[in-house]
Amino acid sequence: MANPSPGYSLTLRVETPATFTATSELAAAVGAAGGSITALDVTESTHLSMVVDVSCNTTDAAHGERVRTALDALEDVTVRKVSDRTFLMHLGGKLEVTPKVPLRNRDDLSRAYTPGVARVCQAIAENPADARRLTIKRNTIAVVTDGSAVLGLGNIGPEAALPVMEGKAALFKQFADVDAWPVCLATQDTDAIVDIVKAIAPVYGGVNLEDIAAPRCFEIEARLREELDIPVFHDDQHGTAIVTLAALENALKVVGKTMDQVRIVVSGVGAAGNAIVQLLLARGATNIIACGRNGAISRADAHTEGHRAWLAENTNPDNFSGTLHEALVGSDVFIGVSAPGIITGEHVATMADDAIVFAMANPDPEVDPIEAGRHAAVVATGRSDFPNQINNVLAFPGFFRGLLDAGAVDIIPEMLVAAAEAIAARVSPEELNPGYIIPSVFDPHVAADVAEAVAAAARTSTK
């Protein structure tokens, strides 16, 4: 499944003789090494030599080194420098603060700052609710993490989590015009995290919890929802569940099955898996088997963790006890939010006819999508380089846009379902096919549709 990816994009500055075939020879060498050329730019040229910037995608760092070696091996060719385009994008961070008001002269300063600002402060002191109207609170989200479960990288800490949270904030702005800011905490103590978020809450109109390990994330979310008057959303749970439900509803249409008919196996019982199961049950699923590292969660075993005990009581109606591979036999749907390479195409072949496979572990899925596609009717992943990308970007920007627009103070299941239905509806019946069950993250209408659906659900719940 090793395909060149923009995530491992390089620019190699190469000096080569000035011949008519120089650039084609460079391109051929990169291609022979398995790289995918994205650009060739001549930056210097004399009658004897040229300097060419060769941009290409590779599969990983080792592959990039092989591409460099292939270019160096060409006669009279020298690789001067190799630049990693992903690292270049992150130099200095991905965010900045830009004033929304002009500060051109003393009059502007007198209104934006002292003495005029004091009048606004006094108005908010008299009526704290005015903070939503008169400050950034009305459109600002805190993206909060403790760095304990970052992407597929695990517990790498708050500093290493910052690039992800910056990216999340950039996506909020790009897709829904929501201002967001990373809040990476140097503690993994539940009480401390709850206290810190409560203390900074006056600045924000909502809290997006991100990359906090289970089961701690469940308690943090529950306590913050109980103690704050702004909505708290754990994207790893609910964002993933929303987009998974949207994709599954459309995939079931493709294969002609219904939610209450299918047997669903979910691999991964952490934050995402737990939320997916809850939302699927709410939408009528009747036969879900949740599998952890040791196999199916069943009532036959004692479960000390609350979320596993809940799964045991609310899933696996036949009380199946066995491995993930055994659970897959005859099942209709596989949903993976766990670890790479845990099943093979042969395991997919044991599933029911017209099977659906969602292998969403990132960056490497639970099964090679090409192998899965030889046996399943519909295959989806979390990656952008395969069809049917199940990506939280489809959910969280519009979801928070809707919460902010409605002035919501809480999140209810009806909002999650409404968001999923809005996403699914972006794929029309005429467009729906095995390779297109979920809209692109760049569909300009998705965030607006999700926002409208969530805001409507919020307003209905307060009537």
Side-chain angles (χ1 to χ4, degrees):
M1 195 208 69
N3 294 311
S5 165
Y8 291 96
S9 180
L10 303 176
T11 296
L12 302 97
R13 178 155 289 186
V14 179
E15 184 175 354
T16 181
T19 65
F20 288 111
T21 60
T23 54
S24 61
E25 290 170 0
L26 295 175
V30 172
S36 176
I37 289 278
T38 57
L40 283 169
D41 300 299
V42 178
T43 61
E44 299 176 26
S45 180
T46 71
H47 67 289
L48 294 176
S49 67
M50 295 191 302
V51 176
V52 183
D53 282 350
V54 181
S55 297
C56 65
N57 294 338
T58 63
T59 58
D60 54 30
H63 185 204
E65 187 58 34
R66 293 197 297 273
V67 170
R68 174 181 184 149
T69 300
L71 291 176
D72 260 332
L74 295 174
E75 186 175 357
D76 296 325
V77 169
T78 302
V79 178
R80 286 187 178 180
K81 182 180 180 181
V82 179
S83 299
D84 187 313
R85 297 176 70 194
T86 297
F87 276 81
L88 288 175
M89 177 180 279
H90 287 77
L91 284 178
K94 301 186 290 289
L95 303 174
E96 65 179 7
V97 175
T98 303
K100 294 170 62 176
V101 297
L103 297 173
R104 300 161 301 188
N105 49 50
R106 294 175 67 179
D107 284 358
D108 289 342
L109 194 61
S110 295
R111 284 188 289 269
Y113 197 51
T114 185
V117 73
R119 297 176 55 226
V120 181
C121 295
Q122 289 173 323
I124 294 173
E126 293 172 5
N127 182 18
D130 275 350
R132 286 185 179 270
R133 185 171 63 88
L134 297 172
T135 73
I136 61 172
K137 185 181 181 75
R138 68 181 297 173
N139 196 55
T140 304
I141 299 299
V143 183
V144 177
T145 188
D146 64 358
S148 60
V150 181
L151 296 178
L153 304 174
N155 188 356
I156 60 175
E159 292 87 357
L162 182 54
V164 179
M165 303 311 126
E166 284 187 16
K168 201 86 174 184
L171 294 171
F172 268 115
K173 189 66 176 179
Q174 178 70 28
F175 291 106
D177 197 26
V178 171
D179 297 316
W181 196 255
V183 181
C184 300
L185 304 179
T187 178
Q188 295 182 1
D189 178 81
T190 296
D191 291 337
I193 292 171
V194 170
D195 288 344
I196 292 168
V197 176
K198 287 170 59 180
I200 65 173
V203 178
Y204 299 99
V207 174
N208 183 94
L209 299 176
E210 186 76 19
D211 292 350
I212 299 174
R216 187 169 62 256
C217 61
F218 301 123
E219 181 181 351
I220 291 170
E221 181 193 33
R223 287 175 58 182
L224 287 173
R225 284 191 173 188
E226 179 68 26
E227 298 177 38
L228 290 177
D229 62 351
I230 56 176
V232 178
F233 182 84
H234 187 199
D235 188 48
D236 298 322
Q237 292 185 65
H238 308 300
T240 305
I242 288 168
V243 185
T244 301
L245 173 58
L248 183 56
E249 289 193 339
N250 279 345
L252 289 172
K253 293 175 185 175
V254 169
V255 300
K257 300 179 183 181
T258 60
M259 192 76 73
D260 61 339
Q261 295 175 333
V262 293
R263 179 181 179 184
I264 303 170
V265 175
V266 177
S267 174
V269 294
N274 198 275
I276 288 169
V277 168
Q278 291 186 44
L279 197 54
L280 295 183
L281 290 173
R283 289 299 286 164
T286 59
N287 191 353
I288 301 176
I289 298 175
C291 294
R293 291 186 180 89
N294 298 320
I297 304 293
S298 74
R299 293 179 295 282
D301 302 315
H303 301 285
T304 57
E305 295 179 336
H307 68 290
R308 287 177 177 263
W310 184 93
L311 288 170
E313 286 299 317
N314 292 277
T315 65
N316 198 353
D318 298 326
N319 211 29
F320 168 84
S321 180
T323 66
L324 168 64
H325 298 160
E326 292 168 339
L328 281 175
V329 177
S331 64
D332 299 279
V333 179
F334 169 78
I335 298 174
V337 280
S338 50
I342 59 173
I343 65 173
T344 66
E346 286 72 22
H347 295 124
V348 176
T350 69
M351 297 175 67
D353 293 340
D354 294 324
I356 296 167
V357 172
F358 290 176
M360 298 187 289
N362 260 318
D364 299 315
E366 285 81 359
V367 60
D368 184 328
I370 296 173
E371 288 296 316
R374 293 191 172 101
H375 307 285
V378 180
V379 177
T381 71
R383 294 175 61 116
S384 59
D385 50 357
F386 285 96
N388 297 328
Q389 183 187 18
I390 298 177
N391 191 316
N392 289 12
V393 178
L394 288 164
F396 69 82
F399 198 92
F400 268 100
R401 176 76 277 154
L403 293 174
L404 293 169
D405 289 348
V409 299
D410 201 2
I411 294 172
I412 57 175
E414 289 81 2
M415 295 176 183
L416 307 180
V417 172
E421 290 178 343
I423 294 168
R426 288 305 310 165
V427 181
S428 70
E430 295 77 21
E431 297 172 308
L432 189 61
N433 66 72
Y436 186 51
I437 60 169
I438 196 83
S440 164
V441 297
F442 295 104
D443 183 331
H445 302 288
V446 171
D449 288 357
V450 170
E452 183 178 350
V454 170
R459 293 177 181 121
T460 300
S461 71
T462 58
K463 288 183 179 178

